[in-house]
Amino acid sequence: MAPVQEVAPTEAAPPLEFLPGLNPVTMNTSEFRRRGKEMVDYMADYLEGIERRPVYPAVEPGYLRTLIPSSAPEEPEAYEDILGDIERIIMPGVTHWHSPYFFAYFPTASSYPALLADMLCGAIGCIGFSWAASPACTELETVMMDWLGKMLQLPDAFLAGSAGMGGGVIQGSASEATLVALLAARTKVTRQLQATFPELTQAAIMERLVAYSSDQAHSSVERAGLIGGVKLKAIPSDGNFAMRASALQEALERDKVVATLGTTNCCSFDNLLEVGPLCNKERVWLHIDAAYAGSAFICPEFRHLLDGVEFADSFNFNPHKWLLVNFDCSAMWVKQRTDLIGAFKLDPVYLMHGHQDSGLITDYRHWQIPLGRRFRSLKMWFVFRTYGVKGLQAYIRKHVQLAREFESLVRQDPRFEICMEVILGLVCFRLKGSNQLNETLLKRINGARKIHLVPCHLRDKFVLRFAICSREVESAHVQQAWEHIRELAEDILKPERA
């Protein structure tokens, strides 16, 4: 046996933080504690004083690039400098969505419990694509979706329970939920047709698939069709901007239908009790998009707006719009979770685990387009427990009441008209007169930067939308907004009377 050759000992490499010229550790735990408290104070001050800031920024495109270097710094910078640049660089270009003078689009939810939960989510930092990747992330989401489904009084078929066939999942947005539903429907119909007509190729089937939605549906529905390669046809809505079964019947083929509860333009509601049975009869996948309005269905007085959901295959709304859960949190339910899993399931060996076929859990990577997912159910858990169902109901009712207050103010001025029945927190109104007159009014409103509105088109009319959005909005803010609108309208109408 050959003698063992001795190897001269080598000097151990120094720890990374002590390598010459390199200091990668710029914030340790103790400094994080201090800076974290400072950031919470900054956030609280920002939200507490948000109504003193102009709701809409006065910057031009490209403003930010001139304020920051063209390349990342080579050396670490002081945290104080970073924090100072928030006010100098970032805030001048922020549209303050949580200002009580923000009445544009629809609400984006915000609450202190949800913000705290988001902080914890970031600290845990798990990528919850499977049960094994973080069991609490998967299981809390399943339970929270059941909690929320029960708050909405969804049929049991949509709940996971302990042995249900359906269930809920948190998507990033209603747009994602619509696309997922369309892809699941496309896969299901394709497989059914191939089983019945084996000679049909997938390409031949795809050429024949058509999806229908109301002409008032959100543009994300059309976009889902473009991404999914499915032709989309708009069904003309009735005088109340709702899709009716008679119009659908004229155009129906074997495909997927998207019904809308609370349209973006004017918060109209498709007639599910008509459309639903027709879809079931024709074996058409029915997806309901209630992105904004869905939160209101936790209130018994608004639950009737969801009647007919029992006919749907999938249903979605955004707690991150109106249920005090910060973005992103879009709740989606399906009656048959195998419809989603069958469309998206892939199981490379590195993602498999010993419990995936137990029937006791689900891996949410099979319910969505991305692989990774954040621990978003923490926000729901914090908010639901902090406010309780009664607290959330009171929040919805307050917004609806403020919308009706604004509607009353508009109706008292004969120069204006209400363009759509006010059902929830959105008021559609305009000056009586031409579209150009109303376009001028909106331009003046947003140019003044005291309040912020956006428009819509209802048939051939240019209409202003007044949505109750902020968690902090009160009657005084609504009154001030209306007085501001009236003053600007008076200035515009003066030349016409001269």
Side-chain angles (χ1 to χ4, degrees), residues 7 55 58 76 84 113 115 134 147 155 198 211 219 237 297 373 377 399 421 490:
V7 179
V55 64
L115 286 171
S134 191
W147 274 21
S219 60
S237 54
F297 303 155
R373 54 204 336 274
S377 57
H399 275 203
E421 178 187 3
E490 181 69 25

Side-chain angles (χ1 to χ4, degrees), residues 111-145:
S111 68
Y112 293 124
L115 286 171
L116 293 173
D118 237 356
M119 291 170 62
L120 179 59
C121 172
I124 294 174
C126 65
I127 311 297
F129 48 75
S130 70
W131 180 88
S134 191
C137 182
T138 293
E139 296 197 15
L140 185 64
E141 182 163 335
T142 302
V143 175
M144 288 301 99
M145 292 301 294

Side-chain angles (χ1 to χ4, degrees), residues 267-300:
C267 200
S268 60
F269 292 78
D270 292 338
N271 194 318
L272 295 181
L273 292 174
E274 286 186 4
V275 172
L278 176 59
C279 289
N280 286 184
K281 176 185 174 183
E282 300 292 337
R283 298 175 63 197
V284 170
W285 181 297
L286 174 61
H287 175 68
I288 298 174
D289 176 2
Y292 162 67
S295 298
F297 303 155
I298 70 170
C299 299

